[in-house]
Amino acid sequence: MRALSALAAVAVLLGVVYLGAGVAGLEFWFGVVIPYAAIVVFLLGVVFKVLRWASAPVPYRITTTCGQAQSLPWIKANRLESPPSGVWVVGRMALEVLLFRSLFRNTKVSLTPGRRVVHEADKLLWVGALLFHYSFLVIFLRHLRFFVEPTPVVIAWLDRLDSLFQVAVPTLFLTDVVIVAALLYLLVRRLLDPLVRYISLAADYFALFLLLGVALSGIWMRYFTKVDLVSAKELALGLVTLNPIVPEGIGWLFYAHVFLVSVLFSYFPFSKLVHMGGVFLSPTRNLANDNRARRHVNPQDPEVEVHTYQQWEDEFRDKLEAAGLPLDTE
Ligand code: HEM
C-alpha cells in the first residue's frame, strides 16, 4: 500500500506535467519558473538544514567506534575504527563517503529450518548502493555538457568512457543500465524482504520511484523519442546564464524529465536524501575519539556562581571560632 501510494504520487506528477506542458502549453512554467523555484528551495533548504545541524550542541566526543581505541603502547589500536586524531578522522570519513564502509559490514538475520538464528554477511546492499550512487554521479557530471559551452574535455572523456562498448545508436551509456538495475534492486529488496518491507515508509518508496522516473524519462528521451538536443541545451544554458528561453517543440517528455528533477531537488533538503550532506556533519563520525587522551570542557557550560566552603568558613570564621569548631585554614 505504501509503495502503491508512492507510485501514485509520481504518476500524479507525470500527469501534472503532461497536462501543463503537453496540453495547456505552460512550457515556460515547467522549463523556467519551476526549475528556478526548485533551485531556490534546494539551496535555502540545505542552508537551513546545515545551520540547524551546526547549532546543535556537541560538547563531548560522541564518536561511534567499532575498534580498539588508542591506549597503552602494548595494546594494538585500530586507528581507522577509533580515530585518535583529525588525520585518522579524514581517512575514516573518506572511506565512509567514497566506499560506504559501514554498509560493507551489513548483516542479515535468518532462521535455519532447525530454528537457529543465523547472522550472515550481506554484501548485496552495499554493491547495490555503490552502483546506484556512482552511476548517479557519473550521469550528473555528464549532464554538464548541457550547462557549459564548450563542453569541458573531462566531461567528453567521461562520456566516451561511459559508452565504452559502443552498443546501439545512440551509443548506450553503461551508467543508464546500471542506475536502473540498481534502483530496481533497491526497490525489489524493500518489497520482497518482509523485515525491510515492515520498516519501509511511503517516503522510502517515493525517493526510489522519483529517481526511477528521472532516469527512465531521460533514457526514453535519449534512445526512443530522440529529443532535440540543441533546443535542450539552449534551454539549459538559458537557465544557468539567467537569460531563460523556451525553444519551440522540445516535447513534453523533456519537461517531464526536468519537472521530476525539480521535484527531486526541492524534496531533497526535507527528505532522507539529505544524508548526502548530513554524513559530513555527523558528530558520531566526524570527531576523533580522544575522550581519554584529552580533557574536553563543555564550551556551552553556563557561568555558575559558586559559594565554596572556604568562602563560607571565612564568612563565619569568628562564629565558628567562638563555638570552638575546627577550621580548615587559620
Ligand atoms: C539529478 C539530475 C538528473 C538526472 C539523474 C538525470 C538523468 C538522466 C538520464 C539517466 C538520462 C539518460 C541518458 C544519459 O544518461 O545521459 C538523461 C538524459 C537527458 N537528460 Fe537528464 N537527468 C538530470 C537532470 C537533467 C536536467 C536538469 C536536464 C535539463 C537540461 C536534463 C536533460 C536531459 C536530456 C536532454 C537528456 C537526453 C540526452 C540524450 O539524448 O543524450 N537532465 N538524464
Side-chain angles (χ1 to χ4, degrees):
M1 194 59 207
R2 283 175 275 194
L4 277 181
S5 53
L7 181 62
V10 176
V12 167
L13 291 175
L14 284 173
V16 167
V17 63
Y18 176 71
L19 290 178
V23 178
L26 300 173
E27 280 100 343
F28 188 77
W29 276 85
F30 286 91
V32 177
V33 180
I34 293 174
Y36 274 146
I39 292 295
V40 171
V41 173
F42 173 82
L43 291 176
L44 291 181
V46 170
V47 167
F48 171 75
K49 272 272 150 148
V50 169
L51 287 180
R52 239 187 59 182
W53 286 328
S55 61
V58 185
Y60 303 111
R61 304 281 152 141
I62 53 171
T63 330
T64 45
T65 61
C66 44
Q68 173 63 50
Q70 187 158 305
S71 172
L72 300 167
W74 42 269
I75 296 177
K76 193 163 175 247
N78 188 336
R79 293 187 178 81
L80 263 182
E81 302 296 10
S82 183
S85 65
V87 178
W88 287 98
V89 168
V90 171
R92 185 185 196 218
M93 285 296 286
L95 285 175
E96 185 61 34
V97 171
L98 300 175
L99 293 176
F100 306 175
R101 189 153 181 263
S102 59
L103 195 56
F104 188 70
R105 276 185 283 250
N106 185 42
T107 53
K108 72 167 181 237
V109 188
S110 53
L111 273 181
T112 62
R115 299 195 61 76
R116 206 161 55 88
V117 178
V118 181
H119 294 262
E120 48 186 335
D122 179 11
K123 304 285 184 235
L124 216 56
L125 179 60
W126 175 73
V127 173
L130 262 188
L131 287 178
F132 161 68
H133 284 87
Y134 272 99
S135 48
F136 189 100
L137 177 67
V138 171
I139 291 169
F140 188 84
L141 292 177
R142 277 200 290 92
H143 271 63
L144 287 182
R145 74 187 193 277
F146 295 121
F147 296 93
V148 185
E149 181 57 40
T151 306
V153 190
V154 192
I155 302 302
W157 284 348
L158 198 62
D159 238 89
R160 225 167 305 148
L161 193 70
D162 199 0
S163 45
L164 197 66
F165 292 134
Q166 307 216 337
V167 186
V169 175
T171 41
L172 181 70
F173 285 129
L174 296 176
T175 43
D176 287 354
V177 179
V178 173
I179 198 168
V180 174
L183 282 169
L184 286 177
Y185 160 70
L186 295 172
L187 184 64
V188 167
R189 173 184 158 267
R190 277 196 188 278
L191 290 170
L192 293 191
D193 186 331
L195 294 179
V196 185
R197 192 171 59 229
Y198 181 68
I199 57 164
S200 292
L201 305 173
D204 298 317
Y205 294 109
F206 180 68
L208 289 173
F209 282 126
L210 189 59
L211 286 160
L212 265 175
V214 170
L216 291 177
S217 55
I219 286 171
W220 204 261
M221 260 193 303
R222 179 175 168 84
Y223 303 102
F224 303 106
T225 55
K226 313 267 171 32
V227 68
D228 177 3
L229 288 180
V230 177
S231 304
K233 183 154 184 168
E234 254 179 85
L235 187 140
L237 277 176
L239 286 177
V240 286
T241 54
L242 301 181
N243 275 320
I245 45 160
V246 178
E248 284 284 300
I250 315 186
W252 81 274
L253 194 60
F254 171 78
Y255 292 105
H257 186 61
V258 173
F259 182 56
L260 292 183
V261 172
S262 305
V263 173
L264 182 69
F265 271 60
S266 32
Y267 177 61
F268 183 92
F270 314 103
S271 68
K272 66 176 200 169
L273 302 175
V274 79
H275 69 267
M276 179 178 145
V279 67
F280 295 97
L281 282 139
S282 166
T284 54
R285 304 241 152 226
N286 66 13
L287 295 174
N289 181 29
D290 57 0
N291 278 318
R292 294 186 185 179
R294 267 179 1 102
R295 178 176 150 78
H296 296 277
V297 178
N298 182 355
Q300 278 107 13
D301 270 352
E303 280 290 323
V304 179
E305 251 192 63
V306 289
H307 192 226
T308 62
Y309 173 75
Q310 203 52 62
Q311 288 166 332
W312 181 84
E313 191 179 86
D314 290 343
E315 212 175 311
F316 295 101
R317 182 170 296 278
D318 47 348
K319 295 182 180 63
L320 290 164
E321 263 171 356
L325 289 168
L327 292 168
D328 271 11
T329 54
E330 286 305 314

